[in-house]
Amino acid sequence: MGLFGTDGVRGKAGEKVTVTASMRLAMATGIYFKPYANTNKILVGKDTRRSGYMVENAIVAGLTAVGFDVIQIGPMPTPAIAFITANMRCDAGIMISASHNPFYDNGIKFFDHNGKKLSKDVEDKIATIYDDNNTIENSQEIGKKIGRSKRIDDVIGRYIVHIKNSFPEKLTLKGLRIVIDCANGAGYIVGPTILEELGAEVVVIGNTPNGFNINETCGAMHPEVLAKAVRDYRADIGIALDGDADRIVVVDENGDVIDGDKLMGALASYLDNKGLLKNKSFVTTIMSNMALDDFLAKQGVKTYRSVVGDKNVVELMNKIGSNFGGEESGHVIFSNYATTGDGILTGLQALALMLESGKSASEAFNPFDLYPQVKVNLEVSKKVPLEQIDGLNELKKEIEDANIRHLFRYSGTENKIRLLLEGSKKTELNSLMQSVEAFFKKALS
């Protein structure tokens, strides 16, 4: 496996994400960006993991060693890092987070001066520098060329104003009771603040981070907690963020979790009806239910599909000229306002849809029925390239002959293989998935 995964570098803090690896990666990143530097500043933010202190100091050391000045802004959502990097004219931005992973993992995500995630080509160049001892050693500055760092706390307001400006000016959240679960993560301050400033009655949970409870039985990974709170407080809607607040899960007024494909379908239809969906096109990934494509096609909206990863969604959006896309897992991109997935921004657009339609959450976000799907995330001890697994082609042909859609892929951030089957009969899918699981357990044990 290479240095970079689906979304930056991620692994267990102290094992893969170590002090030395983090510092060396920061140096390699600084070396890459140095020829393109305009302000000689790189922004660094993080989520609420205890290991963030360790990784942050290592990154600051690495960047200053190669001559960059560093701006540290503390715990902030990943999309805020992307926005502030561009807003403050920094040469690059770095977010320290393992997103939805448990507290003992950590990761490092990178943005260019426009707040966009790095392409694979740029990641490969940074990885090459990372492995080059001579370049690393010879690029360290001396004397007055060594960089410096400073911590600033007042940039949070920039992001809050930016996100609020995405909400229609004529609307208010007054009269709505909203539960927000901040996952004890990076959105625990900005999320509730934005909703309150727009007039909502806000019930906040998952907002007491202690360094170890990020994503722990809370947030987007555990929407059942939010669902209970929505029912208990008789709220109109519930919003759950993940650890770095770049994804969202929505719960309706009945405490039912809204499927991510249904949420995106409703939002795409809403934008199109307002004449705001550029080129009548929408981008999602190969993981999404085909019912989403069919629903939007009836409205004249064409759906395009990328490989998994929100940065791959963004790349395809740019290629076809779309301004809306996302993943069923909750990464949703409104490129008029953000360069990456943003859970808080998506929540506001969903609330605008509710208010303008006059519908409840359960009505607004169930615009079509999904085709039956079965998904399994199977832990593996090794990641054998799929094309090298004996018998897999035969298994795929058997599945396709039964008119069932399949998708098998390794996680880019965890030691898991993700298995998906989609067809017309749930019982048939369940039975077939048992055979598929048994096949991969044997092949990858």
Side-chain angles (χ1 to χ4, degrees):
M1 297 298 290
L3 179 63
F4 288 87
T6 307
D7 193 7
V9 175
R10 191 179 303 183
K12 188 166 286 188
E15 288 186 6
K16 180 176 181 179
V17 183
T18 63
V19 169
T20 49
S22 300
M23 183 168 68
R24 190 179 181 95
L25 181 57
M27 293 174 74
T29 303
I31 292 166
Y32 172 79
F33 278 107
K34 201 68 177 176
Y36 311 104
N38 289 315
T39 62
N40 206 51
K41 295 177 182 177
I42 291 182
L43 187 80
V44 176
K46 60 182 179 179
D47 64 23
T48 57
R49 295 163 211 268
R50 173 69 65 86
S51 59
Y53 292 104
M54 172 186 80
V55 178
E56 181 182 28
N57 287 324
I59 286 174
V60 171
L63 291 174
T64 53
V66 297
F68 268 102
D69 293 335
V70 182
I71 299 172
Q72 297 165 260
I73 62 172
M76 284 283 280
T78 289
I81 303 307
F83 168 72
I84 296 168
T85 294
N87 187 256
M88 293 189 68
R89 306 295 192 270
C90 294
D91 294 316
I94 295 176
M95 176 65 179
I96 302 162
S97 175
S99 193
H100 60 274
N101 286 33
F103 83 90
Y104 48 75
D105 288 338
N106 216 328
I108 307 171
K109 304 181 184 186
F110 301 89
F111 300 93
D112 66 16
H113 71 284
N114 291 315
K116 295 181 178 179
K117 290 185 177 179
L118 307 186
S119 66
K120 187 179 184 304
D121 179 57
V122 173
E123 288 179 342
D124 288 344
K125 289 176 180 176
I126 292 173
T128 298
I129 297 170
Y130 179 92
D131 291 329
D132 187 339
N133 288 327
N134 285 334
T135 299
I136 293 289
E137 289 297 324
N138 294 330
S139 296
Q140 295 185 54
E141 300 288 3
I142 59 173
K144 293 183 179 180
K145 290 186 177 181
I146 295 173
R148 61 180 179 176
S149 70
K150 67 176 180 178
R151 187 176 296 276
I152 56 176
D153 302 314
D154 59 354
V155 293
I156 188 171
R158 298 185 185 218
Y159 177 67
I160 289 173
V161 169
H162 170 65
I163 296 301
K164 283 172 61 181
N165 284 341
S166 74
F167 191 69
E169 205 172 309
K170 64 181 180 180
L171 299 179
T172 174
L173 297 180
K174 188 175 181 180
L176 283 184
R177 180 177 295 168
I178 302 170
V179 181
I180 182 168
D181 186 341
C182 303
N184 292 316
Y188 80 105
I189 295 175
V190 296
T193 300
I194 290 170
L195 295 176
E196 288 169 358
E197 289 189 5
L198 288 170
E201 179 187 345
V202 185
V203 177
V204 189
I205 60 177
N207 64 329
T208 55
N210 61 15
F212 308 115
N213 60 0
I214 188 171
N215 300 314
E216 185 178 39
T217 60
C218 61
M221 299 305 292
H222 297 277
E224 68 279 2
V225 177
L226 174 65
K228 183 179 185 304
V230 167
R231 290 191 293 266
D232 288 347
Y233 288 98
R234 294 184 174 85
D236 297 293
I237 192 171
I239 294 170
L241 308 174
D242 69 340
D244 66 338
D246 67 349
R247 63 187 279 194
I248 186 176
V249 170
V250 174
V251 170
D252 70 21
E253 76 280 4
N254 301 314
D256 294 326
V257 177
I258 298 296
D259 180 86
D261 284 333
K262 289 186 176 183
L263 176 66
M264 291 191 296
L267 288 167
S269 177
Y270 166 69
L271 291 174
D272 184 54
N273 288 335
K274 294 183 70 174
L276 299 176
L277 188 63
K278 194 175 174 184
N279 291 334
K280 288 185 77 72
S281 60
F282 162 73
V283 177
T284 188
T285 73
I286 51 178
M287 293 296 289
S288 279
N289 197 291
M290 285 300 297
L292 173 60
D293 306 52
D294 294 345
F295 164 72
L296 291 175
K298 292 174 184 175
Q299 196 165 317
V301 173
K302 183 169 177 54
T303 300
Y304 296 81
R305 289 176 175 246
S306 75
V307 295
V308 173
D310 66 333
K311 76 174 182 180
N312 298 313
V313 172
V314 172
E315 284 179 9
L316 185 52
M317 287 169 61
N318 292 335
K319 183 177 180 180
I320 66 170
S322 176
N323 62 345
F324 181 62
E327 300 183 279
E328 41 79 44
S329 60
H331 294 111
V332 183
I333 302 103
F334 294 84
S335 66
N336 286 5
Y337 307 109
T339 58
T340 186
D342 190 322
I344 302 169
L345 169 63
T346 302
L348 288 191
Q349 303 311 304
L351 289 164
L353 185 164
M354 268 181 63
L355 292 168
E356 293 195 342
S357 68
K359 296 178 179 178
S360 65
S362 59
E363 295 173 306
F365 303 122
N366 280 294
F368 61 91
D369 292 326
L370 298 169
Y371 300 145
Q373 273 189 354
V374 177
K375 299 178 186 177
V376 170
N377 293 323
L378 187 66
E379 290 196 10
V380 298
S381 56
K382 55 186 177 182
K383 293 184 177 180
V384 179
L386 295 181
E387 64 273 13
Q388 295 179 16
I389 297 178
D390 291 337
L392 182 55
N393 287 335
E394 290 77 5
L395 176 63
K396 286 181 176 179
K397 186 176 186 309
E398 179 186 333
I399 294 170
E400 290 160 4
D401 287 345
N403 201 28
I404 292 172
R405 187 170 80 94
H406 61 79
L407 180 62
F408 310 140
R409 71 173 188 90
Y410 290 114
S411 167
T413 58
E414 301 173 272
N415 289 326
K416 292 180 179 179
I417 186 167
R418 307 199 190 283
L419 312 173
L420 179 149
L421 298 176
E422 181 182 302
S424 58
K425 298 178 181 177
K426 190 67 174 281
T427 53
E428 184 181 19
L429 295 178
N430 286 329
S431 175
L432 185 54
M433 182 58 85
Q434 290 179 0
S435 301
V436 171
E437 274 192 85
F439 174 85
F440 280 107
K441 282 179 180 177
K442 184 177 179 180
L444 301 173
S445 60

